[in-house]
Structure formats: structure tokens, C-alpha cells
Amino acid sequence: MALAVKTSQPVALLAAIKKAIDNNLVSTWSYDTAGDFTHTPNQWVRQAWLRPTVSQGILTFRIVLPPNIQLTWLIYGVYHGRFIEMLLTHFNADFSEAVATP
């Protein structure tokens, strides 16, 4: 289960996402000190996190749950779908493909 983002510059894309959040250009996501992203609307905040890993040509996000939350397809779909939406809206020139796997 992951979100894979194909990009020639995965480190730069990850840094750009964090910078956009820091500058309030992306207002519906935040990240913690570990670098994990959570969706910030009240209904979804801290229901899960997306943990990034960088490898050559790809930026992968895996879902991480707090101990008291059971993963549902609704949480999975919202987190992956809304993150892809954010990427398309703000970073469409920085990646060639984003795929969420079930």
C-alpha cells in the first residue's frame, strides 16, 4: 500500500512540498518533526500520516496509523486521493505520474 510519485527530482519535490506548507500555500496538509504528512481538516487530522521515502526517480509515501486507529478504505482513499490532488494542483510540473496502490 503506497503512493508512488515519479519525478526526476524526488528530494527537491519533497522539499518544495514542505516549503509550500510552511509558506501556507498548501493549507490542508502539515508535517511533523519526523517528516510525515497528515491531512489537516478536522475530520481527517491525525487519522493517518503519509511517510515519504526517496529513491532514484521516485518519491514514495506509505500510510502510517496511530495505535488507536484502524485503517479503513475511506481513510486510505482520502489520504491518498487528497495528497494526489494537492500534487496536481501545486506541483504538476514537478512529476510525471502519481499512482496509489490498493
Side-chain angles (χ1 to χ4, degrees):
M1 295 181 160
L3 167 58
V5 182
K6 290 184 181 178
T7 175
S8 62
Q9 306 266 335
V11 172
L13 177 55
L14 183 57
I17 295 167
K18 290 179 179 180
K19 183 177 181 180
I21 291 169
D22 292 344
N23 293 332
N24 294 316
L25 300 173
V26 171
S27 61
T28 58
W29 289 92
S30 66
Y31 63 95
D32 60 19
T33 57
D36 299 336
F37 295 89
T38 192
H39 198 33
T40 58
N42 288 339
Q43 180 181 5
W44 303 111
V45 68
R46 293 183 299 278
Q47 295 292 306
W49 285 266
L50 294 176
R51 178 165 294 157
T53 56
V54 173
S55 50
Q56 186 162 348
I58 195 157
L59 181 55
T60 303
F61 296 88
R62 288 186 171 41
I63 198 156
V64 177
L65 299 170
N68 60 331
I69 300 290
Q70 182 175 358
L71 182 60
T72 64
W73 285 114
L74 179 60
I75 291 171
Y76 187 87
V78 165
Y79 268 73
H80 287 73
R82 304 257 169 89
F83 202 83
I84 290 173
E85 176 186 41
M86 179 271 295
L87 291 173
L88 287 168
T89 302
H90 298 282
F91 303 100
N92 57 67
D94 300 319
F95 69 100
S96 59
E97 184 177 351
V99 178
T101 61

